[in-house]
Amino acid sequence: MNTDIQYIVDRFADIQVLRYTVEGFEKLPLKQKLFVYYLSEAALSGRDILFDQNYRYNLPLRRLLTQIWEQYDGPRDTPDFEAFTVYLKRFWFANGIHHHYSTVKMQPEFDTTYWNALLDNIGYTGDRTLWEKVLFDPEFDSKRVQLDGKDLITASANNFYSSVTQAEVEDFYAQMSDPSDQEPISYGLNTHLTKDQSGQLIEQVWSEQGWYSNSIKAINENLRKALSFAETEQQKQVIERLIDYYRTGDLKLFDEYSILWVRDTLSQVDFVNGFIETYGDPLGLKGSWESMVNFRNEAATKRTKAISDEAAWFEAHSPIDDRFRKKEVKGVSAKVITAAMLAGDCYPATPIGINLPNANWIRKEYGSKSVTIENIMEAYEIAAQGNGFNEEFYENEADRKLYEKYGFVTDVLHTDLHECLGHGSGQLLPGVSPDALKAYGATLEEARADLFALYFMADPKMLELGVLGDKDAYKAAYYHQMLVGLLTQSVRIPFGENYEEAHMRNRALIARWVYEKGEKTGACRLIRKSGKTYLQISDYEQLRKLFGKLLGEIQRIKSEGDYEAGKALVETYGVTLDPTLHREVLDRYAKLDIAPYKGFVNPVYTLEYDAQGHISDVKVDYTEGYVGQMIRYDKQYAKE
Ligand code: ZN
């Protein structure tokens, strides 16, 4: 953490904007810096695509809103202008008028009278009725992605389709696809579907020659510049195939690109750039445009390798019955990356991990790349430290300080142990079906991997391998695990509802099972103080034994396929919430006023030249603010 850097950049509505840093960028060789630079320019060049994909009026509205922001010469310190500013910030964050997460249209906190005054002030002479409907009519194009109703296509306001019904879309793609094809292209992934003048359905392709041609040409231009800095011949091919795909829109080429990309595991710098995730389309066909540029975090990747190389040792020392132990075991080394640029559907809200490609047959035949984005996780962690959450739920300052010191390192180590070894450990008895635990399988499997991580986190082996530097560090992880499972994860559940999601059920299961046993021996207890519930842990070694014991039992359940025992565990400990405790936690959380959604501003990269006019370096800067970045992007990367 660098104290000169402002990590929390902005806060408005339900959003907090953070800054991530690109540790290690300065140390990259110039060639790789330039590679990152041009891939980043390729990423930013697609900015307009997502706005337009999200809604057909987003781009003209964005131009109008930024024009007002820049030209309005009336008073700016009024509640109305403040409301306009908040709306504009939300609009940028959502890449359009619909909330980025709920996809419901966002309502401005200013009225039409004020809106018209703003338009008057900048001398706007265009049509005003459309904007009034787009901005203020909650019924007009009310939801970007409608997932229930009679016709999901006509009810959704996204711009993937026009003048077509759901039945027409389904029919169109059913006729196009061939069920016997073992290697089907991703039909419809990169097109707008509409009707021509005679009423025939036609696809308008997103390519250099079709829709978004200006953006795509700019992307390709930067990809071509990036080509000469590619690390290997193979990586060159990856980029060349992507350029060809963007040039033609041919989805066969996209599959070829995806295969080349997934097989390129050696390059240090890597990127995603394309029409990728299909959550923006209720039928899951159309890809929203996104890009992320990144490079491998060598230190963290060493950590996952250190653990993975010892897979046999872990298996031999796991607290499970010998019958369930694997004879031979191979760890998986996860790749940990540093994000260097976020764009399109990854910006400003961004994922903390990537697992691509999406085409099932490619995943089956060629595998997938799964990565953890550690600098984004770290930025979340830094932001969380100032939000009052830990102060509210940690009663004891020493516990909180320990968590602030070791929470992040143990958290990433937990993920490594869980992913690289936990899921792969143990074996089924002969004849036991992997699906024997049915609906409880996912929760129990997550619990098994988490318990594996928790049990070994406290092992002296961690210090020996150099992945933890303090014998007490694991206590931060133990306290946190119990606190989350017993109390704080319930802030994400509306009052009166149960835990549904497998990871949440698993955390509740572990914490409550261990608590029940640990309370009897005095290892841990929940105390009440000034009307608030807190967790106290007095015997961490005892907790470790309990984690180990539960791991042994869940391994037995899995290995034997003991459905009834698995069901009983999940139903008893992992599903319901105590209403009194839930209410209390929700109330305490609400008082903290923590933004439920977070996103990021990007760093700024600038080329530096020497006296002869040659590029001598790429500088990275972390001072640009949220509004400044948005206004700059709107101008610099306006292509459509
Ligand atoms: Zn897992």
Side-chain angles (χ1 to χ4, degrees):
M1 183 168 173
N2 184 334
T3 47
D4 296 335
I5 293 171
Q6 187 198 355
Y7 288 91
I8 296 171
V9 179
D10 211 336
R11 172 78 166 89
F12 48 89
D14 54 356
I15 304 290
Q16 186 181 42
V17 181
L18 309 174
R19 188 187 310 280
Y20 66 95
T21 56
V22 192
E23 239 146 281
F25 181 80
E26 276 99 344
K27 292 203 187 83
L28 292 178
L30 180 59
K31 190 180 163 191
Q32 290 186 5
K33 284 183 181 172
L34 285 164
F35 193 40
V36 168
Y37 178 83
Y38 288 113
L39 290 173
S40 295
E41 287 298 306
L44 295 171
S45 300
R47 175 170 176 81
D48 285 353
I49 299 174
L50 185 71
F51 274 90
D52 190 71
Q53 285 183 316
N54 280 348
Y55 183 51
R56 65 195 184 285
Y57 298 124
N58 277 339
L59 279 178
L61 180 60
R62 194 186 77 194
R63 285 190 280 270
L64 185 54
L65 293 172
T66 52
Q67 193 192 345
I68 293 170
W69 170 261
E70 293 200 301
Q71 294 179 6
Y72 176 70
D73 62 4
R76 291 189 172 226
D77 54 352
T78 65
D80 272 335
F81 196 80
E82 176 58 26
F84 170 77
T85 307
V86 168
Y87 182 80
L88 177 56
K89 286 179 176 183
R90 298 183 76 191
F91 176 89
W92 276 321
F93 195 91
N95 291 284
I97 66 165
H98 302 95
H99 191 275
H100 76 285
Y101 190 78
S102 72
T103 84
V104 172
K105 186 160 148 179
M106 301 179 291
Q107 289 300 306
E109 301 274 323
F110 54 90
D111 60 15
T112 51
T113 313
Y114 187 70
W115 171 247
N116 281 305
L118 290 171
L119 292 178
D120 290 343
N121 183 281
I122 62 160
Y124 181 76
T125 53
D127 175 35
R128 296 187 182 202
T129 35
L130 174 67
W131 298 131
E132 280 191 22
K133 270 167 48 183
V134 168
L135 281 166
F136 299 101
D137 182 350
E139 305 300 317
F140 183 73
D141 294 336
S142 58
K143 203 164 180 201
R144 177 160 62 80
V145 189
Q146 185 59 263
L147 290 170
D148 39 43
K150 274 203 207 96
D151 189 315
L152 306 183
I153 296 299
T154 52
S156 297
N158 65 56
N159 193 20
F160 295 131
Y161 306 92
S162 53
S163 316
V164 291
T165 64
Q166 181 176 347
E168 285 171 329
V169 175
E170 284 167 346
D171 191 46
F172 182 82
Y173 287 111
Q175 282 184 26
M176 198 178 261
S177 63
D178 168 6
S180 68
D181 188 352
Q182 298 296 302
E183 301 180 352
I185 58 164
S186 304
Y187 292 101
L189 185 71
N190 65 338
T191 59
H192 176 95
L193 186 68
T194 186
K195 283 181 185 147
D196 65 11
Q197 281 165 344
S198 65
Q200 290 290 310
L201 270 75
I202 48 159
E203 283 193 301
Q204 293 164 319
V205 181
W206 305 326
S207 74
E208 261 196 25
Q209 299 146 36
W211 273 39
Y212 309 134
S213 64
N214 293 332
S215 302
I216 293 173
K217 275 179 195 152
I219 292 170
N220 265 353
E221 200 179 298
N222 284 294
L223 288 176
R224 278 185 207 103
K225 286 181 189 162
L227 257 185
S228 45
F229 304 105
E231 290 170 59
T232 59
E233 206 40 55
Q234 195 182 357
Q235 194 173 36
K236 245 191 191 132
Q237 287 178 23
V238 173
I239 299 171
E240 282 167 347
R241 208 58 53 94
L242 180 60
I243 292 172
D244 286 346
Y245 158 63
Y246 271 141
R247 203 168 40 73
T248 58
D250 180 351
L251 285 169
K252 266 253 176 292
L253 293 175
F254 179 64
D255 283 348
E256 288 178 25
Y257 150 79
S258 299
I259 293 165
L260 287 166
W261 178 80
V262 84
R263 293 168 84 177
D264 176 20
T265 51
L266 295 176
S267 301
Q268 196 189 358
V269 177
D270 202 354
F271 69 101
V272 176
N273 189 314
F275 303 103
I276 309 288
E277 302 294 352
T278 55
Y279 307 108
D281 172 5
L283 298 184
L285 295 167
K286 309 291 171 189
S288 295
W289 188 85
E290 70 172 50
S291 184
M292 176 183 287
V293 183
N294 63 75
F295 55 89
R296 191 164 52 229
N297 177 334
E298 298 294 359
T301 304
K302 255 187 217 139
R303 186 185 67 219
T304 65
K305 190 174 180 308
I307 294 166
S308 189
D309 285 351
E310 292 290 320
W313 181 90
F314 283 97
E315 187 71 11
H317 291 80
S318 185
I320 57 173
D321 192 293
D322 271 338
R323 292 177 299 144
F324 311 140
R325 225 180 277 287
K326 261 200 183 116
K327 302 296 161 262
E328 225 176 298
V329 35
K330 253 182 88 183
V332 190
S333 327
K335 186 165 118 169
V336 182
I337 61 169
T338 303
M341 186 56 70
L342 311 170
D345 211 16
C346 297
Y347 172 84
T350 199
I352 56 168
I354 307 177
N355 191 333
L356 289 174
N358 284 332
N360 278 326
W361 71 269
I362 299 180
R363 294 173 76 88
K364 219 169 112 199
E365 258 171 72
Y366 300 93
S368 64
K369 270 192 212 171
S370 175
V371 299
T372 314
I373 311 166
E374 196 162 300
N375 62 328
I376 296 294
M377 287 174 68
E378 200 171 1
Y380 282 130
E381 176 77 16
I382 291 168
Q385 289 194 4
N387 67 12
F389 189 89
N390 293 339
E391 286 76 1
E392 175 61 37
F393 290 101
Y394 279 77
E395 187 247 340
N396 180 327
E397 199 178 314
D399 289 337
R400 178 166 62 81
K401 287 268 156 69
L402 194 72
Y403 181 69
E404 282 171 3
K405 195 166 176 195
Y406 294 118
F408 186 68
V409 284
T410 54
D411 194 27
V412 291
L413 179 60
H414 181 112
T415 307
D416 295 341
L417 288 165
H418 176 118
E419 302 291 349
C420 303
L421 298 171
H423 280 307
S425 69
Q427 66 175 3
L428 299 178
L429 290 183
V432 172
S433 158
D435 303 321
L437 305 176
K438 299 190 188 119
Y440 300 101
T443 297
L444 291 164
E445 180 55 20
E446 290 311 319
R448 201 174 67 87
D450 265 358
L451 288 161
F452 187 98
L454 289 163
Y455 179 78
F456 282 112
M457 179 91 62
D459 200 286
K461 188 82 176 175
M462 295 299 113
L463 278 78
E464 195 188 297
L465 291 174
V467 292
L468 285 182
D470 183 331
K471 66 173 178 37
D472 286 333
Y474 81 92
K475 293 179 181 171
Y478 277 25
Y479 191 95
H480 187 68
Q481 180 82 27
M482 293 297 287
L483 182 69
V484 168
L486 291 172
L487 298 174
T488 58
Q489 72 165 352
S490 71
V491 304
R492 289 161 65 186
I493 306 292
F495 187 70
E497 288 181 23
N498 285 335
Y499 290 124
E500 301 278 351
E501 198 269 333
H503 292 84
M504 296 191 95
R505 284 187 163 189
N506 130 49
R507 285 190 288 262
L509 189 170
I510 292 174
R512 290 201 277 192
W513 187 93
V514 167
Y515 181 78
E516 189 184 271
K517 318 290 183 257
E519 195 200 14
K520 286 193 185 121
T521 63
C524 55
R525 62 190 184 117
L526 289 173
I527 57 155
R528 299 271 303 162
K529 212 171 155 183
S530 326
K532 292 176 177 180
T533 306
Y534 296 99
L535 171 68
Q536 275 188 347
I537 296 180
S538 47
D539 188 344
Y540 282 94
E541 277 170 37
Q542 183 67 30
L543 285 197
R544 185 185 185 210
K545 286 194 186 114
L546 291 170
F547 286 137
K549 201 172 162 200
L550 184 56
L551 173 57
E553 171 61 3
I554 292 183
Q555 183 63 57
R556 182 197 67 75
I557 289 171
K558 178 174 175 169
S559 292
E560 294 178 353
D562 188 346
Y563 173 81
E564 287 305 329
K567 177 182 173 182
L569 259 189
V570 177
E571 293 289 350
T572 310
Y573 299 99
V575 178
T576 57
L577 289 96
D578 170 349
T580 317
L581 200 52
H582 191 197
R583 184 74 268 161
E584 178 203 315
V585 171
L586 286 175
D587 290 345
R588 286 164 74 184
Y589 182 72
K591 286 207 185 93
L592 299 172
D593 191 27
I594 293 171
Y597 303 103
K598 293 172 178 67
F600 293 90
V601 290
N602 282 315
V604 183
Y605 298 97
T606 330
L607 298 178
E608 301 229 314
Y609 295 87
D610 63 16
Q612 285 78 42
H614 299 119
I615 297 170
S616 57
D617 203 0
V618 183
K619 284 278 178 242
V620 56
D621 179 87
Y622 300 114
T623 54
E624 192 167 41
Y626 179 66
V627 173
Q629 182 155 94
M630 290 296 174
I631 291 276
R632 182 170 68 85
Y633 283 0
D634 284 348
K635 288 194 180 140
Q636 201 171 332
Y637 302 100
K639 308 285 176 193
E640 299 304 320

